[in-house]
Amino acid sequence: MATVIYRCPVGAPGECPTSATRGYCQVHMFQQLERYDPAEDAPPAPPPVPPSTAAPEAAEAAGAAGAGDPATRPARPPRRPVVRLALVIAGAMLPVHGEHRRGGGGLAVGRDEADCAAVPGLAGLDQLSRRHARLRWIDGALHVEDLGSTNGTFVDGRRITGPTPIGPGQRLRFAMDVDAQVIEIDEFGAPR
C-alpha cells in the first residue's frame, strides 16, 4: 500500500516540509498542502537499448559516462514565478488562492462566501449579494468578475460588466460602499 504524502504546491523541492495529513504549509501559511505522488517526479526509465555490434567494454564506458551527466538528463520545465496577492476588505486581509489550485484558485466575495467569513460585519451588509463577485486567475493574470450582483462591482470607480484584469494597488468597490484594495504579499503572508 502506497503512503499518501502532502506537500506545498509553491515551495521548491525541499524548501517546505511534507506531511502525512492534509493541512497548510508551515513556510507558506496560506498555501494548502496538496496530494503528492513521488512517482511523478521520478525520471523516466531509459528506453531499451537495441543490441549493438559495438564491443561490450565501449558500451559500458558510454553508459557510465552518461549516467550522472546533467546534460543527458531530461530537463524539467521551468517553474513560473509565484505571484501572491491578497484583498484587503474591511480591515481584513484575504489571500487570493494561487492559480495552481483546483478550479483556478482565486477568491469568492459575498455575504455567504466561506472566503469572507473572517471579515467582521460583512455578513450583515444587505447591499452586498450573497455571491457578489469572484477574483480568479485567467492566463496568469488576476481578474475580478461580478456574479450578477444587484449593486455591482467597481474597479477604480468604474462598474464592470465582465472579467476585468486587476493588480496590486487597484481599488475595488463591491455594492455601494464596501471598499477593497489588491495588495502584494510575501511568502509569509505579510504585505510588501
Side-chain angles (χ1 to χ4, degrees):
M1 181 172 161
T3 303
V4 176
I5 298 174
Y6 295 90
R7 73 172 183 180
C8 178
V10 298
E15 177 184 359
C16 306
T18 59
S19 174
T21 60
R22 288 186 176 202
Y24 288 87
C25 178
Q26 295 173 2
V27 176
H28 306 99
M29 65 182 175
F30 292 119
Q31 294 297 325
Q32 189 171 14
L33 300 176
E34 294 182 350
R35 191 178 185 136
Y36 167 66
D37 183 2
E40 291 176 2
D41 284 345
V49 178
S52 80
T53 57
E57 298 84 21
E60 284 178 20
D69 186 11
T72 60
R73 283 190 221 140
R76 277 199 207 185
R79 290 183 81 133
R80 290 193 327 200
V82 176
V83 177
R84 294 179 180 92
L85 299 177
L87 185 68
V88 177
I89 183 170
M93 187 172 66
L94 305 174
V96 178
H97 303 294
E99 62 185 315
H100 60 275
R101 293 188 73 167
R102 285 193 184 121
L107 176 74
V109 177
R111 289 191 328 246
D112 290 349
E113 295 291 358
D115 290 340
C116 293
V119 180
L122 199 66
L125 295 177
D126 291 336
Q127 65 187 356
L128 190 68
S129 296
R130 294 179 190 278
R131 293 186 65 243
H132 196 95
R134 175 135 182 102
L135 280 65
R136 64 186 177 112
W137 296 94
I138 301 174
D139 296 329
L142 187 62
H143 288 67
V144 63
E145 178 179 17
D146 188 83
L147 299 176
S149 67
T150 304
N151 295 315
T153 300
F154 301 81
V155 174
D156 293 331
R158 293 187 177 151
R159 189 171 185 154
I160 62 169
T161 57
T164 304
I166 56 173
Q170 287 195 286
R171 298 204 175 271
L172 305 178
R173 190 175 82 229
F174 304 105
M176 302 299 176
D177 61 358
V178 180
D179 293 321
Q181 183 175 9
V182 179
I183 64 168
E184 191 170 354
I185 56 176
D186 64 18
E187 64 271 14
F188 303 107
R192 287 187 185 231

